[in-house]
């Protein structure tokens, strides 16, 4: 090698080394903070750090009936006129001081004076009327509209700054309960489109939202009610339950939600009933599921007690109906269908002898991650159904895939058993049966005119009569339809740092109120 | 050299276009996003309006032509979820992935060269055993398991590292360690193998006969010749890191392109998915060209071939 070439190569290598070093240094400098991360997650006594399974898709208040949105928005950023007490089921005043049925189909709400939005503007009846109209009568496709209100439009009027009236096409005895789902926003809110970061009257307001990373709420200094203890709440999201639990045990978060019993929260785990009920929905208009005996056999094949005991580690109760104990219409006397594989096999054999095509493949569809141990639950059920003589194939899907089978219009896809998990946030069985048991329910495969009429009759009642009528409707579902094989009323687990005082309740999964969280080192009575 | 690179650019454009079309078609096979974005009570009219607004009512071929027309005008569409520009979301997330990949490969290369050279120079030494262990571990342990176990040991039991997130310098350690194991294991084996060959080559024996010391023989003679295959493998592994950080980013809440892709798939956010894949594909395309350029710099035979 000539000296000149050696020198040239040496220069090239030194240049390469220098370039590499420069890249390293610049990358290291950039590496001090991850690209697009602007805020830290540092602990502070005034800050509550909460880790959720997923980022809220939006903070739009009219979508607050979506669990992932409502858990952040409801009663933290925005508030309704009326709220339902999760423990007693009673309706209580919030931004309305009182309400009354002033005529058959008119309800009048008296607005609480002295309330302002977090932007400083005054809240009055015009805002209330705007909020209801926007959520229910607009074309922006609010989730609360579909979940809580029917297709009929409401006539909403601000009579004066302190009074708003809501007129329904026919008398609606539970309108205030429905109104409890409408979050109040100022009239300056976009009425033609959804917003991502709302203004509300709640104890907190949005501070910043690093999309994909974290969301920070800070105390609303103009809040009309009691001052919440924490000045700030930072929400983060992690997919893995074990990571969420570890964040609390490792002092990186004060609260972690939606954990499984095996996620490792240990002594920091708190179990609570979450209003969710799991069930198999059967497509009863497709053979062999159109034969009542086959649906009955499927019901007998579900080992509810075994699933709750072995898979859910006791966190839950075998179910005999689609609503939980805190819901109007729940019947505590109903007993779950017993596990009877012999009876199931006999029913299938009897149907087969009558020409029912029991060998036809049935698709058993589940949603990945819908609840802890769903894979094992589905496998246990498939195994039991196979032993009963049915031909069942498991298909696990993500949310979007499974939703195609959950909501009308249903795809034409052969006989389907769909694992559903239904949470009634509203506290009244009407919101369950309308969707899941009516002939034309959004999440119902079939029904009968007779059963629809019974639902109609129950919905016109109030008080004890309403409770009794819905209890009867739910009790008779297996004999009149048997669209469902109920599995379990579920419990949820959250991990809670010892530094925080908070009692989760049946509404926690949908509405986690920051103002109810206090520091454990402060006097609870103060 | 330029002819070589030019040819490489042309040949890489074909797979880039295949990826572009493939993702577009596959995304649409995963189903209609309507149910995720409209309430359960949405009427047929509302569904039709949603489809029309987002171009989902057209035949797939027509949708693809619209998309390509947009791409030519640097319009990659908007997120169904946030309404934000899909390209902006992808470009914002990409540097986080690149940073992770860069540091992982930097450590992998340094580690592989040190362990690989040592192992090759002293067969059956502790370094040789470490090299075999790394290789076996890389081949047998999935990223997912390694990540969760790392969280459990270092965050929960020992309490020395954060579980996840991006808040401090320590939060880099577990994601990088998880990503590191595979490239370190593979690259160490490559360096070791190349060094074993190089150390037995005549020019090394000649260097020794001229009195060159062990360190000089390794660093100035054998390593330079062993670098070419190692560089090729390192390049492929870097491409794999950029492409495959999905699991690690999802577990550790790392705001990179992999996490963006997962979120976009779950949300049927087609424009974001397409933009994320396009950014990743282009970066892989650029990386491959850089690797080839580096390979050509190191190996004159490659440069010569390009002249043919």
């Amino acid at each position: 090698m000539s000296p000149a070439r050696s020198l040239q190569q040496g220069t090239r290598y030194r240049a390469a080394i220098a370039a590499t070093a420069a890249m390293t240094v610049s990358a290291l400098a950039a590496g001090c903070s991850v690209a697009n991360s602007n805020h830290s997650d540092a602990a502070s006594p005034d800050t509550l750090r909460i880790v959720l399974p997923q980022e809220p898709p939006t903070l739009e208040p009219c979508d607050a009936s979506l669990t992932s949105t409502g858990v952040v928005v409801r009663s933290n950023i925005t508030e309704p006129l009326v709220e339902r007490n999760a423990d007693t089921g009673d309706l209580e005043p919030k931004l309305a001081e009182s309400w009354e049925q002033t005529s058959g189909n008119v309800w009048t709400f008296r607005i609480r004076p002295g309330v302002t939005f977090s932007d400083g503007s005054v809240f009055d009846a015009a805002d209330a009327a705007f909020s209801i109209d926007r959520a229910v009568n607009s074309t922006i496709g609010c989730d609360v509209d579909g979940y809580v209100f029917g297709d009929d439009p409401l006539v909403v009027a601000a009579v004066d700054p302190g009074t708003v009236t809501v007129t329904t096409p026919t008398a609606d005895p539970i309108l205030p309960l429905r109104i409890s789902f409408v979050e109040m926003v100022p009239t300056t809110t976009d009425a033609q489109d959804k917003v991502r970061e709302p203004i509300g009257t709640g104890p907190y307001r949005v501070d910043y939202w690093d999309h994909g990373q974290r969301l920070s709420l800070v105390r609303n200094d103009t809040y009309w009610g009691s001052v919440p203890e924490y000045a700030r709440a930072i929400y983060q999201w992690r997919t893995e339950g074990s990571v969420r639990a570890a964040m609390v045990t490792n002092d990186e978060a004060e609260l972690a939600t939606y954990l499984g019993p095996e996620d490792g929260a240990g002594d920091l785990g708190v179990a609570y009933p979450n209003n969710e009920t799991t069930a198999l929905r059967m497509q009863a208009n497709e053979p062999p599921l159109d034969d009542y005996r086959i649906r009955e056999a499927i019901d007998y094949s579900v080992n509810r007690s075994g699933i709750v005991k072995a898979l859910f580690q006791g966190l839950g109760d075998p179910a005999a109906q689609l609503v939980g104990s805190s819901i109007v219409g729940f019947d505590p006397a109903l007993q779950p269908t017993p596990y009877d594989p012999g009876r199931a096999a006999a029913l299938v054999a009897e149907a087969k002898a009558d020409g029912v095509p029991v060998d036809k493949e049935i698709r058993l569809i589940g949603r990945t991650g819908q609840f802890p141990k769903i894979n094992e639950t589905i496998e246990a059920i498939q195994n039991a159904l196979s032993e009963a003589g049915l031909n069942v194939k498991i298909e696990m899907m993500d949310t979007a895939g499974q939703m195609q089978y959950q909501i009308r219009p249903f795809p034409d896809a052969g006989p389907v058993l769909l694992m559903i998990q239904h949470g009634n946030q509203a506290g009244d069985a009407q919101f369950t049966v309308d969707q899941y048991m009516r002939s034309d329910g959004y999440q119902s495969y079939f029904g009968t005119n007779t059963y629809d009429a019974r639902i109609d009759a129950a919905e016109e009642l109030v008080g004890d009569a309403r409770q009794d009528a819905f209890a009867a409707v739910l009790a008779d579902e297996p004999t009149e339809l048997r669209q469902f094989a109920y599995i379990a009323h579920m419990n949820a687990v959250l991990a809670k740092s010892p530094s925080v005082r908070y009692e989760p309740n049946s509404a926690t999964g949908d509405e986690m109120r920051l103002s109810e969280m206090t520091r454990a080192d402060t006097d609870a009575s103060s | 050299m330029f002819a070589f690179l030019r040819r490489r650019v042309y040949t890489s454009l074909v797979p880039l276009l295949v990826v572009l079309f493939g993702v577009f078609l596959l995304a649409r096979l995963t189903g209609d996003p309507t149910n995720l974005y409209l309430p359960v009570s949405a009427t047929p009219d509302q569904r039709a309006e949603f489809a029309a607004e987002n171009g989902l009512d057209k035949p797939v071929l027509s949708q693809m032509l619209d998309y390509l027309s947009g791409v030519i005008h640097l319009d990659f569409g908007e997120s169904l979820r946030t309404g934000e520009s899909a390209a902006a979301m992808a470009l914002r997330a990409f540097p986080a992935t690149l940073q992770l990949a860069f540091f992982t490969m930097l450590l992998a290369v340094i580690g592989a060269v040190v362990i690989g050279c040592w192992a090759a120079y002293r067969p059956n030494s502790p370094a040789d055993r470490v090299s075999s262990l790394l290789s076996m571990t890389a081949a047998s342990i999935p990223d997912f398991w390694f990540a969760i176990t790392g969280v459990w040991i270092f965050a929960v039991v020992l309490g020395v590292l954060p579980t996840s997130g991006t808040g401090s310098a320590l939060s880099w350690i577990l994601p990088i360690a998880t990503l590191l194991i595979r490239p370190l294991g593979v690259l160490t084996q490559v360096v070791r193998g190349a060094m074993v060959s190089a150390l037995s080559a005549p020019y090394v024996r000649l260097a020794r006969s001229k009195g060159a010391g062990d360190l000089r023989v390794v660093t100035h003679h054998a390593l330079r010749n062993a670098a070419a295959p190692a560089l090729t493998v390192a390049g492929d592994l870097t491409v794999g890191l950029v492409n495959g950080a999905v699991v690690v980013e999802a577990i550790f809440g790392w705001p990179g392109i992999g996490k963006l892709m997962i979120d976009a798939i779950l949300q049927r956010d087609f424009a974001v998915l397409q933009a994320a894949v396009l950014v990743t594909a282009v970066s892989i395309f650029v990386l491959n060209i850089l690797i080839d350029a580096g390979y050509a710099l190191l190996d004159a035979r490659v440069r010569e071939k390009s002249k043919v």
Side-chain angles (χ1 to χ4, degrees):
Chain A
M1 182 185 294
S2 72
R5 188 168 177 208
S6 174
L7 185 66
Q8 190 184 17
Q9 278 199 345
T11 306
R12 188 190 299 161
Y13 286 124
R14 277 196 293 278
I17 289 165
T20 307
M23 280 175 64
T24 308
V25 169
S26 61
L28 274 171
C32 291
S33 64
V34 178
N36 77 40
S37 81
N38 304 315
H39 300 91
S40 82
D41 312 324
S44 157
D46 282 339
T47 300
L48 196 61
R49 297 164 302 169
I50 299 170
V51 56
L52 308 170
Q54 59 174 314
E55 182 173 17
T58 172
L59 297 182
E60 164 58 56
C62 81
D63 283 343
S65 45
L66 291 171
T67 298
S68 51
T69 295
V71 76
V72 174
V73 171
R74 295 182 72 183
S75 294
N76 291 326
I77 302 171
T78 58
E79 297 173 310
L81 292 178
V82 179
E83 67 179 5
R84 178 176 173 272
N85 185 310
D87 295 323
T88 65
D90 296 337
L91 288 180
E92 295 174 351
K94 194 74 175 186
L95 296 182
E97 286 186 313
S98 64
W99 54 93
E100 59 183 326
Q101 195 167 10
T102 42
S103 71
N105 56 348
V106 179
W107 284 85
T108 300
F109 296 82
R110 310 282 175 202
I111 301 300
R112 182 184 296 278
V115 174
T116 58
F117 288 102
S118 60
D119 64 356
S121 60
V122 173
F123 168 72
D124 64 15
D127 298 300
F130 170 80
S131 302
I132 298 168
D133 200 49
R134 180 176 181 270
V136 180
N137 293 335
S138 74
T139 56
I140 60 177
C142 293
D143 196 72
V144 70
D145 184 16
Y147 180 70
V148 179
F149 294 91
D151 295 331
D152 297 328
L154 302 177
V155 177
V156 193
V159 178
D160 59 54
T163 310
V164 65
T165 60
V166 181
T167 306
T168 52
T170 55
D172 184 352
I174 60 164
L175 183 83
L177 178 61
R178 297 183 204 274
I179 291 294
S180 74
F181 278 86
V182 181
E183 303 291 300
M184 296 295 114
V185 292
T187 53
T188 50
T189 307
D190 190 343
Q192 308 303 321
D193 215 342
K194 294 187 180 181
V195 296
R196 282 183 60 74
E197 299 183 22
I199 302 293
T201 62
Y204 290 86
R205 61 181 171 80
V206 178
D207 179 25
Y208 63 81
W209 188 356
D210 281 350
H211 295 294
Q213 289 194 77
R214 60 183 74 76
L215 164 68
S216 168
L217 306 186
V218 288
R219 205 157 44 199
N220 171 13
D221 293 330
T222 65
Y223 185 55
W224 60 275
S226 304
V227 178
E229 192 158 307
Y230 286 99
R232 179 187 295 275
I234 293 179
Y235 294 91
Q236 295 181 78
W237 28 91
R238 298 287 183 270
T239 315
E240 284 303 313
S242 54
V243 172
R244 290 198 297 281
M247 287 180 74
V248 176
T249 56
N250 202 35
D251 197 28
E252 293 170 50
E254 277 71 43
L255 284 170
T257 65
Y258 207 75
L259 302 176
E262 73 291 344
D263 279 332
D267 293 341
L268 302 182
V270 182
Y272 59 98
N274 65 353
N275 273 342
E276 300 281 356
T277 302
T278 49
L280 279 183
R281 190 185 68 187
M282 301 182 259
Q283 189 178 352
N285 46 11
E286 185 87 31
L289 299 176
D290 60 349
D291 190 283
Y292 184 87
R293 289 166 297 187
I294 297 298
R295 303 203 296 278
E296 195 178 9
I298 290 169
D299 203 9
Y300 279 118
S301 296
V302 177
N303 184 358
R304 296 160 181 81
S305 301
I307 288 170
V308 169
K309 185 178 175 187
L311 298 180
F312 303 163
Q313 296 184 19
L315 296 176
D317 296 294
Q321 54 204 308
L322 199 50
V323 299
S325 59
S326 63
I327 308 299
V328 170
F330 175 80
D331 184 351
L334 289 181
Q335 291 299 311
T337 305
Y339 173 52
D340 191 341
R343 178 94 188 269
L347 284 165
V348 172
E350 186 185 320
K352 186 177 183 180
D354 288 346
V356 175
V358 298
D359 295 332
K360 186 172 181 183
E361 185 176 275
I362 300 170
R363 302 166 69 193
L364 172 51
I365 296 176
R367 182 193 301 180
T368 307
Q370 189 173 32
F371 54 83
K373 297 287 184 188
I374 183 171
N375 288 354
E376 291 83 348
T377 303
I378 292 231
E379 283 164 14
I381 290 171
Q382 190 247 7
N383 185 50
L385 295 179
S386 298
E387 287 182 3
L390 295 171
N391 177 14
V392 178
K393 179 188 165 199
I394 293 174
E395 290 181 39
M396 296 303 292
M397 301 180 176
D398 67 2
T399 302
Q402 190 258 9
M403 290 275 272
Q404 295 179 89
Y405 297 86
Q406 187 164 334
I407 300 172
R408 284 178 185 271
F410 303 119
D412 182 15
V416 167
L417 292 174
L418 186 77
M419 177 67 78
I420 61 156
Q421 180 170 249
H422 169 57
N424 185 325
Q425 307 168 41
D428 190 286
Q430 177 174 344
F431 298 99
T432 298
V433 296
D434 273 357
Q435 288 196 41
Y436 283 92
M437 292 169 190
R438 276 186 184 277
S439 314
D440 58 352
Y442 301 126
Q443 306 194 54
S444 168
Y445 271 121
F446 83 115
T448 65
N449 291 338
T450 314
Y451 197 69
D452 289 351
R454 292 187 62 188
I455 294 172
D456 288 339
E459 289 180 356
E460 290 173 5
L461 303 172
V462 293
D464 290 344
R466 187 180 184 87
Q467 160 67 33
D468 293 344
F470 271 122
V473 165
L474 292 170
D476 292 342
E477 192 279 332
T479 50
E480 295 209 19
L481 304 179
R482 207 181 277 275
Q483 184 175 191
F484 297 93
Y486 308 111
I487 299 174
H489 301 303
M490 309 294 278
N491 276 11
V493 176
L494 64 75
K496 181 169 71 70
S497 160
S499 67
V500 178
R501 188 183 292 121
Y502 174 61
E503 292 296 329
N505 57 42
S506 59
T508 292
D510 305 308
E511 183 176 333
M512 202 161 58
R513 299 184 181 195
L514 299 170
S515 57
E516 291 178 355
M517 299 169 190
T518 57
R519 290 209 301 269
D521 58 359
T522 57
D523 180 2
S525 61
S526 61
Chain B
M1 183 71 181
F2 281 115
F4 167 76
L5 287 178
R6 194 166 57 240
R7 199 174 59 181
R8 194 68 182 83
V9 167
Y10 290 148
T11 52
S12 297
L13 281 174
V14 176
L16 195 63
L17 284 171
V18 169
V19 166
L20 207 64
F21 292 137
V23 167
F24 188 92
L25 291 172
L26 287 173
R28 272 138 191 88
L29 285 178
T30 61
D32 185 352
T34 310
N35 286 330
L36 288 174
Y37 293 93
L38 292 182
V40 290
S41 62
T43 62
D45 285 348
Q46 284 174 319
R47 288 171 186 275
E49 191 182 340
F50 176 84
E53 273 177 12
N54 296 288
L56 301 169
D57 57 336
K58 298 179 182 174
V60 174
L61 188 62
S62 172
Q63 290 182 44
M64 187 185 283
L65 290 175
D66 287 350
Y67 173 62
L68 286 179
S69 164
V71 168
I72 290 167
H73 295 95
L74 297 181
D75 174 7
F76 297 88
E78 292 175 349
S79 164
L80 283 175
R81 198 163 71 107
T82 67
E84 204 180 342
S85 154
M89 290 172 75
L91 290 173
R92 194 171 61 229
F94 188 62
T97 299
L98 212 54
Q99 286 174 343
L100 211 51
F102 176 82
F103 283 103
T104 301
M105 280 316 297
L106 187 69
L107 292 175
V109 168
I110 293 170
V113 166
V114 171
I115 301 170
C117 290
W118 188 10
Y121 204 76
R122 297 251 189 281
N124 297 319
S125 66
D128 205 11
R129 292 191 194 103
V130 168
S131 149
S132 300
L133 180 70
L134 277 173
S135 175
M136 279 197 304
T137 308
S140 57
I141 297 182
D143 290 349
F144 175 83
W145 185 90
F146 196 78
I148 295 294
T149 307
V151 167
W152 183 69
I153 293 173
F154 295 102
V156 177
V157 176
L158 300 176
V160 293
L161 293 176
T163 58
S164 56
T166 56
S168 70
L170 290 177
S171 59
W172 289 76
I173 294 176
L174 280 177
I176 287 181
T178 304
L179 284 173
L180 182 63
I181 194 80
R182 189 176 309 279
L184 182 57
V186 173
L187 210 49
T188 300
Q189 283 301 307
V190 172
V191 171
R192 182 189 176 280
M195 285 298 288
V196 166
S197 300
L199 286 171
S200 61
Y203 66 87
V204 168
R205 287 201 298 274
L206 180 66
R208 284 188 198 285
S209 69
K210 287 182 175 178
D214 288 351
L215 188 62
R216 187 169 179 80
V217 163
V218 169
T219 57
H220 281 70
H221 298 277
L223 190 56
R224 265 170 57 181
N225 286 287
L231 181 70
T232 309
V233 174
D236 289 344
L237 290 168
T238 309
V239 168
L241 280 181
V242 171
N243 204 22
V246 174
V247 172
V248 167
E249 289 184 4
I251 290 174
F252 292 108
W254 196 265
I257 201 91
K259 186 167 181 295
L260 186 72
M261 273 188 220
I262 285 280
D263 292 344
I265 290 167
L266 293 177
Q267 296 291 329
R268 302 294 190 269
D269 204 346
F270 296 149
V272 175
L273 176 62
Q274 286 156 198
V277 171
L278 186 62
V279 166
T280 308
V282 168
S283 70
I284 289 171
F285 167 77
V286 171
L287 269 173
N288 275 326
I289 289 185
L290 289 176
I291 292 160
D292 287 345
Y295 199 65
L297 272 177
L298 283 172
D299 191 337
R301 287 167 298 179
V302 175
R303 291 195 299 274
E304 290 305 316
K305 264 188 197 173
S306 70
K307 291 176 185 170
V308 178

